[in-house]
Amino acid sequence: MKDTLTFDQLPEAVSRIQDKLDNIEQLLLQRQEQPMGQDEIMPVAKAAIFLDLAVPTVYSKVCRKELPVNKRGKRLYFYRSELTEWIKSGRKRTAEEIKDEATSKFSLSEKKTKSI
């Protein structure tokens, strides 16, 4: 349980709340600046930051056709949603997910053999 504020602590608490509200307002305004339905396009440097990779590593992955990329002239551009999907595609299943899948496939194959 949190400590109860005293009357003397109220101004500081209200100030902290106001600071937090200002931060939330700034985040919401930044989010509104990006049109909904439009995907953010990123140059190589920003994509590298987003992926937490070095820029040469991004170039290397593009060269090996591992990353989804758009090229305009000599410039490379990346869609945030495509990079997000690329990250998600590398997800490793948990042992429980693998077990559940094996169980469901096994039960389906049992049903098929019983019906034959």
Side-chain angles (χ1 to χ4, degrees), residues 66-78:
E66 293 177 12
L67 276 178
V69 66
N70 297 281
K71 189 172 181 183
R72 196 72 173 156
K74 294 182 179 182
R75 303 270 183 188
L76 300 179
Y77 298 97
F78 302 85

Side-chain angles (χ1 to χ4, degrees), residues 51 61 66-68 81-94 97-98:
L51 295 170
K61 289 186 175 295
E66 293 177 12
L67 276 178
S81 63
E82 290 179 348
L83 293 179
T84 302
E85 286 303 313
W86 177 78
I87 292 169
K88 287 179 182 178
S89 71
R91 181 181 179 276
K92 301 292 183 195
R93 294 182 295 165
T94 64
E97 290 171 333
I98 294 168

Side-chain angles (χ1 to χ4, degrees), residues 9-112:
Q9 293 171 324
L10 283 177
E12 183 181 339
V14 169
S15 177
R16 283 195 311 256
I17 291 171
Q18 183 63 47
D19 289 342
K20 289 180 179 185
L21 284 174
D22 289 342
N23 287 338
I24 292 169
E25 182 181 31
Q26 286 301 318
L27 289 171
L28 289 172
L29 288 172
Q30 288 173 1
R31 195 166 196 194
Q32 283 179 344
E33 289 172 4
Q34 279 188 337
M36 295 300 262
Q38 286 191 355
D39 199 8
E40 180 183 1
I41 299 173
M42 298 183 275
V44 175
K46 194 167 183 180
I49 291 168
F50 176 74
L51 295 170
D52 195 23
L53 297 172
V55 172
T57 304
V58 172
Y59 279 114
S60 175
K61 289 186 175 295
V62 166
C63 189
R64 292 191 308 257
K65 300 187 186 321
E66 293 177 12
L67 276 178
V69 66
N70 297 281
K71 189 172 181 183
R72 196 72 173 156
K74 294 182 179 182
R75 303 270 183 188
L76 300 179
Y77 298 97
F78 302 85
Y79 284 103
R80 178 180 290 272
S81 63
E82 290 179 348
L83 293 179
T84 302
E85 286 303 313
W86 177 78
I87 292 169
K88 287 179 182 178
S89 71
R91 181 181 179 276
K92 301 292 183 195
R93 294 182 295 165
T94 64
E96 189 66 30
E97 290 171 333
I98 294 168
K99 180 183 169 190
D100 290 344
E101 183 181 338
T103 304
S104 67
K105 285 185 179 181
F106 180 71
S107 65
L108 282 176
S109 65
E110 269 188 353
K111 288 179 184 178
K112 286 181 182 178

